[in-house]
Amino acid sequence: MKTPLSGKTLPELSSFVKELGEPAYRAKQLHSWIYVKWAKSFEEMTDLPVDLRAKLEEVAQVSLLKLAHMQVSKDGTRKYLFELPDGKFVESVLMSFNDRESLSACVSTQVGCAVGCTFCATGFLGFTRNLTAQEIVDQIMCIQRESGKRVSNVVYMGQGEPLLNTEEVITSIHTISKSVGIGCRHLTVSTSGIIPGIKRLAEEELPIVLALSLHTPDRETREEIVPISKKYPLPKLMEALADYADVTRRRVTIEYVLLAGVNDTDEQARELAQLVRDVPCMINLIPYNPTESPDGITPYKRPSMKAQQRFKHLAESTGKTVTIRLERGTDIDAACGQLHNAYTK
Ligand code: SF4
């Protein structure tokens, strides 16, 4: 197999050119062609000698991932399905906001997911394997090469639980900030609440945003909709979040998918406000995006606008900032796992 270069760090590129018997400065040239000029082929790398380009053509390839399918939504959101070298697939999304300059890429960290959230299309797939740091980074580079647009923010919110693949996620964060050129402050890692992963991430003291997919303040409902939460009790999870905010000096984000009749009652809104009271955080409400399970059933419904606003108002009672997330790509399969499921059906 040819060696894919996009997604590699500068030291990794240096080892690669050394093995080829080339001088060390060639690594910097390759690094610049990949990360600054977003080259799609070795042919474009015109300051490399012709015989080196021919050699690279034989032993290497620019991209690790292959674009298998893409959907573009009316609002400009682009959803990508990438094929990995072993024939597996992962999804990434590019969200554009017409009113803002910034572009956010949502990346996957695993093929499938073991957490099994009942409202998530990826949860239906089960877990296959972890992605490597290079596979995570190349999703962003592929998006930039395909769209010709600079990604300004990255959210680790695609397929998979990032903190069940913590070491590769941490390595990818370092590569994104050093090579891709997107600062840590523009990176968000979203977890379903894996306490050892939160602690490990805190050790790195990276100024990234940590988001917790909480989805309900009551234990019973949470264990039902986020089955892995049985392992990580809520009080301990809140403690880990408060410690994380303390070490990194950054507010965490509480993500809350609103499911009609499941977690949108007045009592749950008030309990939510109490639960996160001592955690430096803001709360992001996400109205549910209907997802079909493999048997064709849509298990949940989105609450009405009025119910969403009421929940927001009650959740604000202890003074936390509460927002309702702007929806992207609802006319395409933009919830994680949906494109994969539709494509591989
Ligand atoms: S929401 Fe995230 S953690 Fe839960 S099953 Fe889906 S991919 Fe996994």
Side-chain angles (χ1 to χ4, degrees), residues 53-101:
R53 278 187 265 156
K55 194 170 9 166
L56 286 170
E57 208 66 65
E58 263 173 48
V59 300
Q61 61 195 51
V62 173
S63 188
L64 171 74
L65 307 174
K66 222 163 77 192
L67 181 61
H69 191 66
M70 188 179 72
Q71 290 181 333
V72 183
S73 143
K74 279 184 224 140
D75 64 21
T77 300
R78 295 159 107 88
K79 176 120 180 180
Y80 300 88
L81 185 71
F82 292 116
E83 188 177 350
L84 299 161
D86 60 1
K88 305 273 185 279
F89 294 92
V90 281
E91 299 174 7
S92 318
V93 180
L94 177 67
M95 293 163 282
S96 58
F97 300 89
N98 297 334
D99 52 334
R100 292 189 231 153
E101 292 275 293

mmCIF file of all heavy atoms in Angstrom, residues 53-101:
data_model
loop_
_atom_site.group_PDB
_atom_site.id
_atom_site.type_symbol
_atom_site.label_atom_id
_atom_site.label_comp_id
_atom_site.label_asym_id
_atom_site.label_seq_id
_atom_site.Cartn_x
_atom_site.Cartn_y
_atom_site.Cartn_z
ATOM 1 N N ARG A 53 9.097 13.771 -7.619
ATOM 2 C CA ARG A 53 7.636 13.687 -7.775
ATOM 3 C C ARG A 53 7.239 12.316 -8.337
ATOM 4 O O ARG A 53 6.257 11.728 -7.909
ATOM 5 C CB ARG A 53 7.132 14.808 -8.706
ATOM 6 C CG ARG A 53 6.969 16.120 -7.952
ATOM 7 C CD ARG A 53 6.330 17.155 -8.824
ATOM 8 N NE ARG A 53 7.327 18.002 -9.465
ATOM 9 C CZ ARG A 53 7.144 18.670 -10.580
ATOM 10 N NH1 ARG A 53 6.000 18.581 -11.230
ATOM 11 N NH2 ARG A 53 8.099 19.428 -11.073
ATOM 12 N N ALA A 54 8.051 11.810 -9.268
ATOM 13 C CA ALA A 54 7.755 10.490 -9.850
ATOM 14 C C ALA A 54 7.898 9.402 -8.775
ATOM 15 O O ALA A 54 7.085 8.484 -8.682
ATOM 16 C CB ALA A 54 8.703 10.221 -11.018
ATOM 17 N N LYS A 55 8.942 9.566 -7.931
ATOM 18 C CA LYS A 55 9.163 8.583 -6.863
ATOM 19 C C LYS A 55 7.982 8.612 -5.869
ATOM 20 O O LYS A 55 7.469 7.573 -5.456
ATOM 21 C CB LYS A 55 10.480 8.917 -6.136
ATOM 22 C CG LYS A 55 10.917 7.774 -5.268
ATOM 23 C CD LYS A 55 12.288 7.765 -4.614
ATOM 24 C CE LYS A 55 13.218 8.885 -4.594
ATOM 25 N NZ LYS A 55 14.337 8.786 -3.669
ATOM 26 N N LEU A 56 7.546 9.843 -5.526
ATOM 27 C CA LEU A 56 6.424 9.974 -4.585
ATOM 28 C C LEU A 56 5.166 9.322 -5.154
ATOM 29 O O LEU A 56 4.415 8.655 -4.437
ATOM 30 C CB LEU A 56 6.158 11.462 -4.279
ATOM 31 C CG LEU A 56 7.180 12.132 -3.361
ATOM 32 C CD1 LEU A 56 6.965 13.642 -3.326
ATOM 33 C CD2 LEU A 56 7.102 11.572 -1.936
ATOM 34 N N GLU A 57 4.962 9.536 -6.436
ATOM 35 C CA GLU A 57 3.806 8.952 -7.119
ATOM 36 C C GLU A 57 3.783 7.420 -6.938
ATOM 37 O O GLU A 57 2.727 6.822 -6.760
ATOM 38 C CB GLU A 57 3.924 9.290 -8.614
ATOM 39 C CG GLU A 57 2.620 9.388 -9.363
ATOM 40 C CD GLU A 57 1.742 10.555 -8.902
ATOM 41 O OE1 GLU A 57 2.139 11.730 -9.083
ATOM 42 O OE2 GLU A 57 0.688 10.252 -8.346
ATOM 43 N N GLU A 58 4.984 6.825 -6.961
ATOM 44 C CA GLU A 58 5.093 5.367 -6.838
ATOM 45 C C GLU A 58 4.845 4.853 -5.418
ATOM 46 O O GLU A 58 4.195 3.834 -5.225
ATOM 47 C CB GLU A 58 6.518 4.936 -7.196
ATOM 48 C CG GLU A 58 6.683 4.458 -8.616
ATOM 49 C CD GLU A 58 8.158 4.238 -8.900
ATOM 50 O OE1 GLU A 58 8.837 3.591 -8.070
ATOM 51 O OE2 GLU A 58 8.630 4.750 -9.933
ATOM 52 N N VAL A 59 5.383 5.595 -4.432
ATOM 53 C CA VAL A 59 5.359 5.039 -3.073
ATOM 54 C C VAL A 59 4.351 5.704 -2.132
ATOM 55 O O VAL A 59 4.102 5.195 -1.042
ATOM 56 C CB VAL A 59 6.767 5.115 -2.406
ATOM 57 C CG1 VAL A 59 7.792 4.345 -3.206
ATOM 58 C CG2 VAL A 59 7.209 6.560 -2.199
ATOM 59 N N ALA A 60 3.809 6.857 -2.546
ATOM 60 C CA ALA A 60 2.945 7.595 -1.610
ATOM 61 C C ALA A 60 1.681 8.097 -2.297
ATOM 62 O O ALA A 60 1.548 8.024 -3.517
ATOM 63 C CB ALA A 60 3.718 8.770 -1.015
ATOM 64 N N GLN A 61 0.744 8.575 -1.487
ATOM 65 C CA GLN A 61 -0.448 9.246 -2.010
ATOM 66 C C GLN A 61 -0.737 10.413 -1.079
ATOM 67 O O GLN A 61 -0.348 10.380 0.089
ATOM 68 C CB GLN A 61 -1.632 8.285 -2.089
ATOM 69 C CG GLN A 61 -2.042 7.712 -0.743
ATOM 70 C CD GLN A 61 -2.957 6.509 -0.866
ATOM 71 O OE1 GLN A 61 -2.660 5.562 -1.588
ATOM 72 N NE2 GLN A 61 -4.069 6.552 -0.156
ATOM 73 N N VAL A 62 -1.391 11.466 -1.605
ATOM 74 C CA VAL A 62 -1.629 12.640 -0.759
ATOM 75 C C VAL A 62 -2.635 12.282 0.329
ATOM 76 O O VAL A 62 -2.362 12.363 1.504
ATOM 77 C CB VAL A 62 -2.110 13.853 -1.597
ATOM 78 C CG1 VAL A 62 -2.506 15.015 -0.672
ATOM 79 C CG2 VAL A 62 -1.027 14.301 -2.569
ATOM 80 N N SER A 63 -3.815 11.850 -0.092
ATOM 81 C CA SER A 63 -4.900 11.666 0.870
ATOM 82 C C SER A 63 -4.981 10.230 1.396
ATOM 83 O O SER A 63 -4.718 9.276 0.666
ATOM 84 C CB SER A 63 -6.214 12.047 0.195
ATOM 85 O OG SER A 63 -7.234 12.063 1.141
ATOM 86 N N LEU A 64 -5.361 10.118 2.650
ATOM 87 C CA LEU A 64 -5.573 8.800 3.247
ATOM 88 C C LEU A 64 -6.993 8.332 2.955
ATOM 89 O O LEU A 64 -7.253 7.167 2.700
ATOM 90 C CB LEU A 64 -5.356 8.929 4.762
ATOM 91 C CG LEU A 64 -5.712 7.765 5.666
ATOM 92 C CD1 LEU A 64 -4.691 6.658 5.530
ATOM 93 C CD2 LEU A 64 -5.751 8.217 7.113
ATOM 94 N N LEU A 65 -7.942 9.289 3.009
ATOM 95 C CA LEU A 65 -9.365 8.965 2.861
ATOM 96 C C LEU A 65 -9.814 9.152 1.421
ATOM 97 O O LEU A 65 -9.287 10.003 0.697
ATOM 98 C CB LEU A 65 -10.203 9.885 3.761
ATOM 99 C CG LEU A 65 -9.805 9.927 5.235
ATOM 100 C CD1 LEU A 65 -10.618 10.982 5.971
ATOM 101 C CD2 LEU A 65 -10.005 8.576 5.883
ATOM 102 N N LYS A 66 -10.823 8.372 1.034
ATOM 103 C CA LYS A 66 -11.400 8.494 -0.306
ATOM 104 C C LYS A 66 -12.837 8.984 -0.157
ATOM 105 O O LYS A 66 -13.592 8.422 0.657
ATOM 106 C CB LYS A 66 -11.391 7.109 -0.969
ATOM 107 C CG LYS A 66 -10.983 7.161 -2.425
ATOM 108 C CD LYS A 66 -10.580 5.819 -2.960
ATOM 109 C CE LYS A 66 -11.770 4.942 -3.253
ATOM 110 N NZ LYS A 66 -11.407 3.541 -3.517
ATOM 111 N N LEU A 67 -13.189 10.025 -0.912
ATOM 112 C CA LEU A 67 -14.561 10.521 -0.826
ATOM 113 C C LEU A 67 -15.493 9.524 -1.513
ATOM 114 O O LEU A 67 -15.372 9.265 -2.711
ATOM 115 C CB LEU A 67 -14.658 11.903 -1.490
ATOM 116 C CG LEU A 67 -16.040 12.553 -1.464
ATOM 117 C CD1 LEU A 67 -16.527 12.789 -0.038
ATOM 118 C CD2 LEU A 67 -16.041 13.875 -2.223
ATOM 119 N N ALA A 68 -16.429 8.966 -0.751
ATOM 120 C CA ALA A 68 -17.345 7.959 -1.314
ATOM 121 C C ALA A 68 -18.669 8.585 -1.714
ATOM 122 O O ALA A 68 -19.312 8.148 -2.661
ATOM 123 C CB ALA A 68 -17.588 6.852 -0.292
ATOM 124 N N HIS A 69 -19.074 9.611 -0.983
ATOM 125 C CA HIS A 69 -20.378 10.201 -1.251
ATOM 126 C C HIS A 69 -20.450 11.567 -0.569
ATOM 127 O O HIS A 69 -19.800 11.781 0.449
ATOM 128 C CB HIS A 69 -21.465 9.285 -0.666
ATOM 129 C CG HIS A 69 -22.847 9.644 -1.112
ATOM 130 N ND1 HIS A 69 -23.266 9.533 -2.412
ATOM 131 C CD2 HIS A 69 -23.911 10.125 -0.419
ATOM 132 C CE1 HIS A 69 -24.531 9.917 -2.501
ATOM 133 N NE2 HIS A 69 -24.941 10.282 -1.306
ATOM 134 N N MET A 70 -21.261 12.466 -1.143
ATOM 135 C CA MET A 70 -21.407 13.783 -0.513
ATOM 136 C C MET A 70 -22.815 14.293 -0.733
ATOM 137 O O MET A 70 -23.403 14.064 -1.795
ATOM 138 C CB MET A 70 -20.403 14.766 -1.105
ATOM 139 C CG MET A 70 -20.374 16.081 -0.356
ATOM 140 S SD MET A 70 -19.175 17.251 -1.028
ATOM 141 C CE MET A 70 -19.957 17.730 -2.529
ATOM 142 N N GLN A 71 -23.376 14.962 0.264
ATOM 143 C CA GLN A 71 -24.678 15.609 0.113
ATOM 144 C C GLN A 71 -24.509 17.082 0.469
ATOM 145 O O GLN A 71 -23.788 17.399 1.420
ATOM 146 C CB GLN A 71 -25.697 15.018 1.090
ATOM 147 C CG GLN A 71 -26.126 13.604 0.769
ATOM 148 C CD GLN A 71 -27.152 13.094 1.778
ATOM 149 O OE1 GLN A 71 -27.195 13.527 2.922
ATOM 150 N NE2 GLN A 71 -27.970 12.152 1.345
ATOM 151 N N VAL A 72 -25.175 17.961 -0.292
ATOM 152 C CA VAL A 72 -25.113 19.390 0.042
ATOM 153 C C VAL A 72 -26.527 19.849 0.373
ATOM 154 O O VAL A 72 -27.462 19.640 -0.404
ATOM 155 C CB VAL A 72 -24.544 20.231 -1.124
ATOM 156 C CG1 VAL A 72 -24.432 21.707 -0.722
ATOM 157 C CG2 VAL A 72 -23.183 19.698 -1.558
ATOM 158 N N SER A 73 -26.665 20.477 1.540
ATOM 159 C CA SER A 73 -27.984 20.929 1.975
ATOM 160 C C SER A 73 -28.288 22.316 1.403
ATOM 161 O O SER A 73 -27.389 23.035 0.978
ATOM 162 C CB SER A 73 -27.961 20.959 3.505
ATOM 163 O OG SER A 73 -28.680 22.028 4.001
ATOM 164 N N LYS A 74 -29.571 22.692 1.445
ATOM 165 C CA LYS A 74 -29.980 24.019 0.948
ATOM 166 C C LYS A 74 -29.274 25.133 1.713
ATOM 167 O O LYS A 74 -29.025 26.199 1.177
ATOM 168 C CB LYS A 74 -31.495 24.186 1.136
ATOM 169 C CG LYS A 74 -32.297 23.520 0.047
ATOM 170 C CD LYS A 74 -33.774 23.831 0.259
ATOM 171 C CE LYS A 74 -34.593 22.580 0.064
ATOM 172 N NZ LYS A 74 -35.673 22.415 0.998
ATOM 173 N N ASP A 75 -28.961 24.891 3.006
ATOM 174 C CA ASP A 75 -28.302 25.941 3.788
ATOM 175 C C ASP A 75 -26.776 25.912 3.634
ATOM 176 O O ASP A 75 -26.061 26.626 4.341
ATOM 177 C CB ASP A 75 -28.709 25.857 5.267
ATOM 178 C CG ASP A 75 -28.258 24.556 5.937
ATOM 179 O OD1 ASP A 75 -27.330 23.908 5.423
ATOM 180 O OD2 ASP A 75 -28.824 24.195 6.983
ATOM 181 N N GLY A 76 -26.268 25.070 2.725
ATOM 182 C CA GLY A 76 -24.826 25.056 2.459
ATOM 183 C C GLY A 76 -24.069 23.986 3.235
ATOM 184 O O GLY A 76 -22.886 23.748 2.996
ATOM 185 N N THR A 77 -24.732 23.316 4.183
ATOM 186 C CA THR A 77 -24.074 22.247 4.950
ATOM 187 C C THR A 77 -23.679 21.112 4.002
ATOM 188 O O THR A 77 -24.463 20.706 3.148
ATOM 189 C CB THR A 77 -25.047 21.697 6.028
ATOM 190 O OG1 THR A 77 -25.407 22.765 6.886
ATOM 191 C CG2 THR A 77 -24.412 20.576 6.841
ATOM 192 N N ARG A 78 -22.439 20.649 4.123
ATOM 193 C CA ARG A 78 -21.973 19.547 3.276
ATOM 194 C C ARG A 78 -21.707 18.345 4.159
ATOM 195 O O ARG A 78 -21.016 18.465 5.165
ATOM 196 C CB ARG A 78 -20.669 19.917 2.558
ATOM 197 C CG ARG A 78 -20.824 21.052 1.575
ATOM 198 C CD ARG A 78 -19.463 21.667 1.331
ATOM 199 N NE ARG A 78 -18.926 21.339 0.038
ATOM 200 C CZ ARG A 78 -19.156 22.039 -1.065
ATOM 201 N NH1 ARG A 78 -19.926 23.101 -1.025
ATOM 202 N NH2 ARG A 78 -18.601 21.690 -2.209
ATOM 203 N N LYS A 79 -22.263 17.219 3.749
ATOM 204 C CA LYS A 79 -22.061 16.005 4.530
ATOM 205 C C LYS A 79 -21.246 15.029 3.693
ATOM 206 O O LYS A 79 -21.584 14.750 2.543
ATOM 207 C CB LYS A 79 -23.417 15.408 4.858
ATOM 208 C CG LYS A 79 -23.300 14.107 5.587
ATOM 209 C CD LYS A 79 -23.948 14.191 6.927
ATOM 210 C CE LYS A 79 -23.820 12.867 7.653
ATOM 211 N NZ LYS A 79 -24.413 12.877 8.940
ATOM 212 N N TYR A 80 -20.147 14.543 4.251
ATOM 213 C CA TYR A 80 -19.216 13.680 3.524
ATOM 214 C C TYR A 80 -19.251 12.266 4.084
ATOM 215 O O TYR A 80 -19.321 12.079 5.305
ATOM 216 C CB TYR A 80 -17.780 14.187 3.681
ATOM 217 C CG TYR A 80 -17.561 15.588 3.162
ATOM 218 C CD1 TYR A 80 -17.774 16.693 3.983
ATOM 219 C CD2 TYR A 80 -17.124 15.810 1.857
ATOM 220 C CE1 TYR A 80 -17.560 17.981 3.509
ATOM 221 C CE2 TYR A 80 -16.913 17.091 1.380
ATOM 222 C CZ TYR A 80 -17.136 18.174 2.209
ATOM 223 O OH TYR A 80 -16.927 19.440 1.744
ATOM 224 N N LEU A 81 -19.149 11.293 3.190
ATOM 225 C CA LEU A 81 -18.916 9.911 3.614
ATOM 226 C C LEU A 81 -17.556 9.525 3.044
ATOM 227 O O LEU A 81 -17.356 9.548 1.826
ATOM 228 C CB LEU A 81 -20.009 8.988 3.079
ATOM 229 C CG LEU A 81 -19.913 7.546 3.575
ATOM 230 C CD1 LEU A 81 -20.289 7.452 5.058
ATOM 231 C CD2 LEU A 81 -20.833 6.624 2.770
ATOM 232 N N PHE A 82 -16.605 9.226 3.924
ATOM 233 C CA PHE A 82 -15.250 8.875 3.494
ATOM 234 C C PHE A 82 -15.008 7.381 3.652
ATOM 235 O O PHE A 82 -15.414 6.780 4.653
ATOM 236 C CB PHE A 82 -14.206 9.629 4.323
ATOM 237 C CG PHE A 82 -14.195 11.108 4.071
ATOM 238 C CD1 PHE A 82 -14.515 12.011 5.083
ATOM 239 C CD2 PHE A 82 -13.863 11.621 2.811
ATOM 240 C CE1 PHE A 82 -14.502 13.377 4.861
ATOM 241 C CE2 PHE A 82 -13.850 12.987 2.583
ATOM 242 C CZ PHE A 82 -14.166 13.866 3.600
ATOM 243 N N GLU A 83 -14.280 6.816 2.676
ATOM 244 C CA GLU A 83 -13.876 5.418 2.786
ATOM 245 C C GLU A 83 -12.468 5.356 3.360
ATOM 246 O O GLU A 83 -11.560 6.067 2.911
ATOM 247 C CB GLU A 83 -13.917 4.746 1.403
ATOM 248 C CG GLU A 83 -13.682 3.255 1.517
ATOM 249 C CD GLU A 83 -13.786 2.523 0.182
ATOM 250 O OE1 GLU A 83 -14.224 3.134 -0.823
ATOM 251 O OE2 GLU A 83 -13.401 1.342 0.150
ATOM 252 N N LEU A 84 -12.287 4.517 4.367
ATOM 253 C CA LEU A 84 -10.985 4.351 5.019
ATOM 254 C C LEU A 84 -10.181 3.298 4.258
ATOM 255 O O LEU A 84 -10.755 2.531 3.468
ATOM 256 C CB LEU A 84 -11.199 3.898 6.468
ATOM 257 C CG LEU A 84 -11.993 4.884 7.338
ATOM 258 C CD1 LEU A 84 -12.552 4.192 8.562
ATOM 259 C CD2 LEU A 84 -11.104 6.045 7.751
ATOM 260 N N PRO A 85 -8.863 3.215 4.498
ATOM 261 C CA PRO A 85 -8.042 2.243 3.759
ATOM 262 C C PRO A 85 -8.525 0.796 3.898
ATOM 263 O O PRO A 85 -8.327 -0.008 3.003
ATOM 264 C CB PRO A 85 -6.652 2.410 4.380
ATOM 265 C CG PRO A 85 -6.649 3.776 4.954
ATOM 266 C CD PRO A 85 -8.052 4.078 5.370
ATOM 267 N N ASP A 86 -9.193 0.450 5.014
ATOM 268 C CA ASP A 86 -9.654 -0.937 5.175
ATOM 269 C C ASP A 86 -11.077 -1.148 4.658
ATOM 270 O O ASP A 86 -11.715 -2.161 4.973
ATOM 271 C CB ASP A 86 -9.551 -1.372 6.647
ATOM 272 C CG ASP A 86 -10.382 -0.496 7.579
ATOM 273 O OD1 ASP A 86 -11.049 0.442 7.095
ATOM 274 O OD2 ASP A 86 -10.379 -0.752 8.799
ATOM 275 N N GLY A 87 -11.595 -0.156 3.900
ATOM 276 C CA GLY A 87 -12.919 -0.329 3.294
ATOM 277 C C GLY A 87 -14.075 0.066 4.208
ATOM 278 O O GLY A 87 -15.236 -0.007 3.806
ATOM 279 N N LYS A 88 -13.788 0.502 5.429
ATOM 280 C CA LYS A 88 -14.850 0.976 6.326
ATOM 281 C C LYS A 88 -15.184 2.426 5.962
ATOM 282 O O LYS A 88 -14.417 3.075 5.245
ATOM 283 C CB LYS A 88 -14.385 0.907 7.787
ATOM 284 C CG LYS A 88 -13.893 -0.458 8.211
ATOM 285 C CD LYS A 88 -15.029 -1.320 8.686
ATOM 286 C CE LYS A 88 -14.587 -2.652 9.235
ATOM 287 N NZ LYS A 88 -14.307 -3.671 8.241
ATOM 288 N N PHE A 89 -16.285 2.933 6.500
ATOM 289 C CA PHE A 89 -16.718 4.296 6.176
ATOM 290 C C PHE A 89 -16.867 5.151 7.439
ATOM 291 O O PHE A 89 -17.274 4.642 8.478
ATOM 292 C CB PHE A 89 -18.078 4.255 5.463
ATOM 293 C CG PHE A 89 -18.025 3.593 4.114
ATOM 294 C CD1 PHE A 89 -18.268 2.233 3.994
ATOM 295 C CD2 PHE A 89 -17.722 4.322 2.976
ATOM 296 C CE1 PHE A 89 -18.212 1.607 2.746
ATOM 297 C CE2 PHE A 89 -17.670 3.705 1.729
ATOM 298 C CZ PHE A 89 -17.915 2.334 1.614
ATOM 299 N N VAL A 90 -16.574 6.449 7.293
ATOM 300 C CA VAL A 90 -16.892 7.405 8.367
ATOM 301 C C VAL A 90 -17.484 8.665 7.759
ATOM 302 O O VAL A 90 -17.270 8.970 6.586
ATOM 303 C CB VAL A 90 -15.668 7.852 9.222
ATOM 304 C CG1 VAL A 90 -15.296 6.821 10.237
ATOM 305 C CG2 VAL A 90 -14.507 8.274 8.362
ATOM 306 N N GLU A 91 -18.177 9.413 8.594
ATOM 307 C CA GLU A 91 -18.831 10.642 8.133
ATOM 308 C C GLU A 91 -18.191 11.882 8.737
ATOM 309 O O GLU A 91 -17.708 11.853 9.869
ATOM 310 C CB GLU A 91 -20.286 10.640 8.587
ATOM 311 C CG GLU A 91 -21.072 9.502 8.035
ATOM 312 C CD GLU A 91 -22.476 9.457 8.632
ATOM 313 O OE1 GLU A 91 -22.850 10.390 9.370
ATOM 314 O OE2 GLU A 91 -23.176 8.483 8.365
ATOM 315 N N SER A 92 -18.247 12.958 7.973
ATOM 316 C CA SER A 92 -17.834 14.269 8.479
ATOM 317 C C SER A 92 -18.826 15.281 7.908
ATOM 318 O O SER A 92 -19.433 15.027 6.875
ATOM 319 C CB SER A 92 -16.434 14.658 7.986
ATOM 320 O OG SER A 92 -15.563 13.559 8.050
ATOM 321 N N VAL A 93 -18.940 16.410 8.582
ATOM 322 C CA VAL A 93 -19.877 17.443 8.113
ATOM 323 C C VAL A 93 -19.169 18.789 8.110
ATOM 324 O O VAL A 93 -18.382 19.091 9.010
ATOM 325 C CB VAL A 93 -21.127 17.516 9.040
ATOM 326 C CG1 VAL A 93 -22.105 18.580 8.562
ATOM 327 C CG2 VAL A 93 -21.823 16.166 9.127
ATOM 328 N N LEU A 94 -19.442 19.595 7.087
ATOM 329 C CA LEU A 94 -18.959 20.980 7.061
ATOM 330 C C LEU A 94 -20.174 21.879 7.192
ATOM 331 O O LEU A 94 -21.062 21.851 6.336
ATOM 332 C CB LEU A 94 -18.222 21.280 5.751
ATOM 333 C CG LEU A 94 -17.748 22.733 5.597
ATOM 334 C CD1 LEU A 94 -16.662 23.072 6.618
ATOM 335 C CD2 LEU A 94 -17.224 22.996 4.192
ATOM 336 N N MET A 95 -20.224 22.624 8.287
ATOM 337 C CA MET A 95 -21.368 23.501 8.520
ATOM 338 C C MET A 95 -20.980 24.932 8.216
ATOM 339 O O MET A 95 -20.020 25.448 8.782
ATOM 340 C CB MET A 95 -21.818 23.401 9.974
ATOM 341 C CG MET A 95 -22.389 22.043 10.320
ATOM 342 S SD MET A 95 -22.478 21.750 12.081
ATOM 343 C CE MET A 95 -20.792 21.363 12.491
ATOM 344 N N SER A 96 -21.722 25.542 7.297
ATOM 345 C CA SER A 96 -21.426 26.948 7.009
ATOM 346 C C SER A 96 -22.567 27.780 7.554
ATOM 347 O O SER A 96 -23.715 27.346 7.571
ATOM 348 C CB SER A 96 -21.264 27.169 5.513
ATOM 349 O OG SER A 96 -22.427 26.782 4.853
ATOM 350 N N PHE A 97 -22.233 28.929 8.026
ATOM 351 C CA PHE A 97 -23.246 29.823 8.577
ATOM 352 C C PHE A 97 -23.238 31.084 7.727
ATOM 353 O O PHE A 97 -22.252 31.819 7.705
ATOM 354 C CB PHE A 97 -22.925 30.165 10.042
ATOM 355 C CG PHE A 97 -22.891 28.934 10.910
ATOM 356 C CD1 PHE A 97 -21.711 28.215 11.086
ATOM 357 C CD2 PHE A 97 -24.042 28.469 11.510
ATOM 358 C CE1 PHE A 97 -21.686 27.069 11.861
ATOM 359 C CE2 PHE A 97 -24.024 27.320 12.288
ATOM 360 C CZ PHE A 97 -22.849 26.626 12.463
ATOM 361 N N ASN A 98 -24.358 31.307 7.002
ATOM 362 C CA ASN A 98 -24.393 32.418 6.053
ATOM 363 C C ASN A 98 -24.112 33.760 6.715
ATOM 364 O O ASN A 98 -23.554 34.661 6.114
ATOM 365 C CB ASN A 98 -25.761 32.468 5.356
ATOM 366 C CG ASN A 98 -25.971 31.203 4.538
ATOM 367 O OD1 ASN A 98 -25.002 30.574 4.110
ATOM 368 N ND2 ASN A 98 -27.225 30.815 4.359
ATOM 369 N N ASP A 99 -24.495 33.856 7.996
ATOM 370 C CA ASP A 99 -24.335 35.137 8.682
ATOM 371 C C ASP A 99 -22.942 35.289 9.287
ATOM 372 O O ASP A 99 -22.629 36.297 9.873
ATOM 373 C CB ASP A 99 -25.396 35.262 9.781
ATOM 374 C CG ASP A 99 -25.414 34.045 10.712
ATOM 375 O OD1 ASP A 99 -25.008 32.952 10.274
ATOM 376 O OD2 ASP A 99 -25.812 34.212 11.868
ATOM 377 N N ARG A 100 -22.111 34.269 9.174
ATOM 378 C CA ARG A 100 -20.777 34.345 9.777
ATOM 379 C C ARG A 100 -19.724 33.879 8.790
ATOM 380 O O ARG A 100 -20.009 33.152 7.862
ATOM 381 C CB ARG A 100 -20.688 33.407 10.984
ATOM 382 C CG ARG A 100 -21.516 33.799 12.146
ATOM 383 C CD ARG A 100 -21.139 32.905 13.301
ATOM 384 N NE ARG A 100 -22.311 32.298 13.893
ATOM 385 C CZ ARG A 100 -22.311 31.129 14.533
ATOM 386 N NH1 ARG A 100 -21.207 30.446 14.649
ATOM 387 N NH2 ARG A 100 -23.408 30.643 15.060
ATOM 388 N N GLU A 101 -18.498 34.314 9.045
ATOM 389 C CA GLU A 101 -17.368 33.900 8.205
ATOM 390 C C GLU A 101 -16.951 32.470 8.532
ATOM 391 O O GLU A 101 -16.440 31.746 7.697
ATOM 392 C CB GLU A 101 -16.171 34.808 8.501
ATOM 393 C CG GLU A 101 -16.337 36.248 8.046
ATOM 394 C CD GLU A 101 -15.956 36.406 6.578
ATOM 395 O OE1 GLU A 101 -14.767 36.235 6.296
ATOM 396 O OE2 GLU A 101 -16.850 36.677 5.756
#
